[in-house]
Each structure stands twice: as C-alpha cells, then as structure tokens.
Amino acid sequence: MNVSETDLKLVCQGIISERSRGIFYGDNPLDHATPTVLAQLSLSSLLSALTQYILTPLGESAFISMLLVGFALGPTLWGDNNSFLSKVYSAKSINVSSTFAFFGCILYLFLLGIKLDLGMVKRAGRKTVVIGFFTFIFPITLNLIVAEILTTNMEMEPYLHDCVPYIAVFQSVTTFHVIVCLVADLKLINSELGQLAISSSMISGTCSWSLTFFFLLIDRDETHDLIALILIFAILLVIIIFFLLRPLMTWMTGKTSEGKQVKETYVISIFIMLLGCAFLSEVFGHHVLFGAVALGMAVPHGPPLGSALVNKIESFVSSILLPSYFVFSVAGVNILSIHSKTVTVVSIFGVSSFIGKLLGGMLPALYFNIPPVEAFSLGLVMSCQGVSDVLLIQHGKFLSLTGSLIPLLVHHEPGKSATFHAKDSSHIINAFRLYEQECNGNVVVNLFTSISPFSTIHEEVCRLAAEKSTSLMIIPFHKQWRLHGIENIAEARSVNRHILEKAPCSVGILVNRGTSSASKNNNLYDIGIFFAHGSDDREALAYGLRMAKHSKVALTVIHLIDLARTSQEFHEMELDNDIITEYKIQSAGKRQHSYIQESVNDCVELIRLVTSVENSFDLILVGRSYGSCSPLFEGLTEWSEFPELGFMGDMLTSSDSQCQVSVLVVQQQISRA
C-alpha cells in the first residue's frame, strides 16, 4: 500500500486474538483484527456516503466520492504520521483488511459481468459496431504513437520507460459499466443517444478488455510453451464456465416460475461457483478477477437470476466493500510526493486517449448523419473513465507502487520461472547467484525483491529479516555514485533511518563507490577497518574477520588509541581487547593482513590520520556510534552532514571528503525488550 504512511512499532508481531476484550480490560481494540476491520469499513463507507450526499446535487458520481475519501484519509492532507489514521490503518491490519477489500473487488466485477448483456453485442447494428470499433481503435492507435514518441525523445527512469506501453493501453480502455453509470446519472438511459452510447460501449469494451488480457498474458517471463499452456487452461476455464456452469444456471432460471423469487439454494450455488472460478483462475496462472468477470458474463442476463443476484449483494458491495477497497488503493497516495515526470507522462496519455475516444465516437456519428451537437456529446460520453478503469490499473502489473497500499514481496526461487521480472535488480540477483555457485554449496542465497512505497518498505524488510533470523542487514546509502554523477534518492534516506531504528538485527549502510583499480592489479581486495571502541566498532571488526577468511581479501585494522579518553567501562574495555586479540591470532603469519596502532589526541589528528590513508583501500569498515563521550569525536558532531552514518562514516562520505572508496557503516543490533 503506499500502505498508509504507517510508523511500525514492532516487526515481530506476536499472536493475538482477533477480538478485543474491551477497553475496560485495558485492551486497545485497534490492536485486534476484527474491531480494526470494522472501524475501517465503517469509516470508509460513512465518509463515502456523506461525501456522495454533498456531491450528488453537483452531478458527481459515487466514483468521485470514493476517490476523494481515499485522498482525504491519506498523507496528502494529514502528513505521514497522523496518529489516529496510523492506528486505524496500521501495518498489522493490512493482510486481513486488504483481503476483505479485495474480496469486495471480486464481487464488484462479478456484478459488472452480470450487467454485461452479450446479446446486445450480437444484436448490434452497423452504426453501433462502427462507433464502438472506432472508439476502441482511435485511442489505442493514438496512444501507441504517442508512446513511441515519448520513449524515443523523452529521458525517463527505466521502470517508467518499461511501463509506457502498458500505460498507453490501459488509458485507452473503454468500460461498459462506466458508460452505463454515467448515462444513468445524466438521465439519458432511455434516450437514443444513451442507447447508442451503451451499445457502442459494449463493442469497444469487449475489444479493449480482450486486448488488455492479451497484454497481461504476454507480459510474462515464461517460455512460449508455458504461455501456450496458460492460454490453453484459460480457454479451458472459459469452456467450463460457458458450457457447464451457464447451462446449469439456465436450468435454474427455467425452474423459477414467472413472478416467483429465485430459490436461496440457487443463489448460494452461484456464489460457490464464483469462489471456485476465482480459485481456478489463480491455479491456472491468471488473475483471480478473470474467473469472476467470466462467470458474471455467463449468468443469464436480467430477471429472474441475474436481477436476483444483483439485488442480493449490490448495495452491500457498492456501499460497504467497494469504498473500503478504494481507501486501500488511494489512501496511501501522497500527491505532494508524486514524481512530476510520471505525472507528465500519464497526463499526456490521458489527454491523447480522451482525444482519441472523442474523435472515435464523434466522426462515425457524423458519418451516420447524427447532428453535430449530439455527435460531440456522444464522443464526450464515450471518453469517460471511472471505477472499473481504476481497478484495471490497480491490477495491471505496474512496477511503481507509489500510491498502492499493499506492498509486494517477490521470492526469486532458483529453478522456477519468476512471476515478476525485476529488471532494475537483475544484475544484483545474478551476482548473488554466481556467488552461491562459486561457494560450492557452502552458502545458500535466498533472494527477494520488495516493491513498496518508500514510506513503508522498511516494515517489509525488517519483517523478513526477523522471519529469517538474519544476523546482518546491508542497505544502500541514499546517495548513489553513477557514471553520469551522484544520484540523491531522498526517500531512501528516510528508509535507512527507519531500518536503523527498527531492525531486529545488526545493520550496515553501504556507501558504494565501486572498486579501485589497485585491487584489480594485485588481485587482492583491500579492506581497512578504523577501530576505536564500542559495540558498533566490534561488530564492524567481527564482520571484517569473516571477510578476512577469504583468500583474496587483505585486511588492515587501524586501532585508534584515544589519548583524550579519561574513563572507560571495564567490561567494554575487555570486549574490545578480546576481539582485537582474536584478530591478531587469526591474522598471524598471513602477510596480506596487518594491524596498526595509532594514538590520537583530538579530532584534528583523527581527521589528518584518516585522510592520509582513506584511499589506500577498496572498502572501509567503521562503527556507527560510540557508547561514551570523548573529545576525539566531540568536534565532529558539529559538522555532521549525515548523522545516520555516525562520526567516522560522515567524515568519509560528506560532500567535502576526498575519499574515493566504498564505506560500510555498521550498527550492532539494538537490544529491545
């Protein structure tokens, strides 16, 4: 989600009951799943109803109301750390609440399929077919041309560049349900213009959704044989629905006497069919919504069966579940943090698809001698978008989840086809796989890609670290050294700070400046460690000891003797001496390893020492913080540019530093009750 901008307090969540005992027993109801879900449903549906009551006189649809409520509950108005909203939409409730809301989405699209009269497509006249086809072909053609122009001439991020064709396709989709709702809201449903718009949208909608499903099918990393197998099973599911389940539902219709209500057993049977079809969609490698829409289209249109199903659940789905889904989809969007280039690209496609739909509806209408004003009105109606378009985009495999409330964690299992193609991290995945192979079974690598908004990605990372009992977590510094210069990812800095605070293990922040040419010449990777005192320095040295076991690693430990330090805890001093002794024993007789002792009086001498040797290594390890105050580090705090790196890390990374090598800043796990 940009799951609401939650400030997670604990990653290792204990097992708690779904129900609260009540406030009189000291329970916080929002710490339990059931009252939290009820609070979310109540809040989203109540606010949506109130907003709709205000906007109805202005001619706005329920779709606008739900969008506005989603934004109103998000960080755009309240900031990232609103205490009330962070309690109601806490990270603990994500799994239960999102499942509940998504189930509402399944029911909604099932109802959409029921309302889709396939017979209208068969009965469509020449005028309807031509208008519907041109409303489909004009915007898709125009958007694909614009997409080619943008990808060729506009510089953009790789993920956005890869998403441009899909944005072009999804923006050009026409949805039957949106047109029907709009025509009904405008009280034109019985007019000639309204009937023409509805029947034309059936044609364009069928073409649009067929193309969309085709795009989603080919956007896979599987082999052609596997794609063919997935397509075969999709056809098999459609055959099951239309040649087995539809005749069964037709039989139910025949068994219902005219004017009589549909038996409750028939309704329950169809709901079971819905769950089964949604489940088979997932089993066969398709989206769960595919089976729901297909079954809805197979339900006999109109009374008694179709109307009965709509009457049974439409109010509950539209008024309770759907607002909750939209809150989850929109409430995490911080409009102020959206990248301007992304907005520009999407807006360009929005304008081009609008023009395409307008012309696609207007020009054929003029050809069939429809008055210009009515032809223009038809084009405007056919160009509208609504709820179904948001649902399509929400489940359209976009890589950037900014604005999405649910984070995505992908496990890259060896030997299995990836369900998600992580283009931006493929080189990292390959490097770890190669390392695993070179270790001949001594190392097991588990690779995950986490796709989440910056504001909450630390929750997913820390949760995974706790589940895997991780000893050390290494995260990238927010400044990235590239060939074209330094890239500053401001949002990543906030992520790092959250991880340092919440991590269930030790943390290393890697300032990656690449490898020096010297190491390539002597075939050794030179690592330097500045060791003063304290738990973080010991953790850095412990990690260095592990590295030193590799035959291609040369380790130099520079032990800083703080002459200005007046006192030190005896226990801490013992721990420092123990790990230094361990290093001396391990490096004895190994020429590539060395131990240097340097005495320093103040920060000036420290800086002079560090700058004199900082570019002699490929990687420098330092601790993040020091347990007790010392004049040696006291002066450095006044110049700190990056406090998250500590005294030494900041000195080696700040903008006025001459250091050209990579730096790893290590923080030992912070003990928590």
Side-chain angles (χ1 to χ4, degrees), residues 11 26 46 173 189 236 243 359 370 400 484 487 535 576 593 650:
V11 175
L46 176 62
V173 166
I189 200 162
L236 177 62
F243 292 92
L359 295 177
I370 294 177
S400 175
H484 59 271
E487 182 180 355
S535 59
D576 292 344
H593 302 324
D650 180 76

Side-chain angles (χ1 to χ4, degrees), residues 324-558:
S324 176
Y325 180 84
F326 268 83
V327 168
F328 265 82
S329 302
V330 180
V333 176
N334 189 340
I335 297 177
L336 303 178
S337 67
I338 296 178
H339 293 210
S340 58
K341 186 165 289 187
T342 303
V343 173
T344 301
V345 171
V346 174
S347 300
I348 290 173
F349 284 120
V351 172
S352 64
S353 65
F354 170 77
I355 294 173
K357 291 176 184 178
L358 181 64
L359 295 177
M362 184 177 175
L363 295 181
L366 291 173
Y367 175 79
F368 287 106
N369 299 318
I370 294 177
V373 174
E374 290 191 15
F376 181 72
S377 299
L378 177 64
L380 288 177
V381 170
M382 297 297 289
S383 66
C384 289
Q385 293 182 305
V387 175
S388 304
D389 303 284
V390 174
L391 297 178
L392 174 63
I393 293 174
Q394 178 76 6
H395 302 290
K397 285 193 174 183
F398 280 17
L399 297 188
S400 175
L401 296 194
T402 303
S404 170
L405 210 55
I406 305 172
L408 178 64
L409 185 68
V410 181
H411 183 200
H412 301 280
E413 299 182 72
K416 291 190 178 181
S417 299
T419 56
F420 171 78
H421 186 51
K423 297 175 182 174
D424 291 341
S425 57
S426 58
H427 63 292
I428 301 175
I429 294 171
N430 293 335
F432 276 109
R433 288 280 176 238
L434 181 61
Y435 173 69
E436 183 179 29
Q437 293 171 10
E438 289 179 347
C439 289
N440 300 318
N442 295 319
V443 172
V444 176
V445 176
N446 286 303
L447 297 170
F448 296 83
T449 295
S450 179
I451 310 170
S452 301
F454 281 115
S455 58
T456 55
I457 194 171
H458 66 279
E459 299 167 5
E460 199 67 32
V461 172
C462 293
R463 180 190 62 79
L464 183 62
E467 286 181 359
K468 299 297 181 181
S469 300
T470 304
S471 300
L472 176 68
M473 181 194 309
I474 297 179
I475 54 179
F477 187 49
H478 70 275
K479 293 179 71 173
Q480 305 286 320
W481 276 257
R482 312 286 191 188
L483 292 176
H484 59 271
I486 299 175
E487 182 180 355
N488 190 352
I489 309 173
E491 298 90 343
R493 186 177 189 184
S494 177
V495 173
N496 291 348
R497 287 173 170 172
H498 281 302
I499 290 178
L500 287 170
E501 181 184 353
K502 310 292 183 182
C505 61
S506 297
V507 180
I509 299 182
L510 178 62
V511 181
N512 185 10
R513 294 192 178 104
T515 305
S516 69
S517 57
S519 65
K520 297 175 183 177
N521 296 330
N522 62 22
N523 207 27
L524 285 176
Y525 190 80
D526 292 316
I527 300 175
I529 300 179
F530 289 100
F531 182 92
H533 55 78
S535 59
D536 289 353
D537 274 15
R538 291 195 297 269
E539 191 75 5
L541 181 51
Y543 190 41
L545 287 172
R546 293 290 298 271
M547 293 180 172
K549 293 179 180 179
H550 197 288
S551 59
K552 299 296 183 182
V553 168
L555 180 61
T556 300
V557 175
I558 302 176

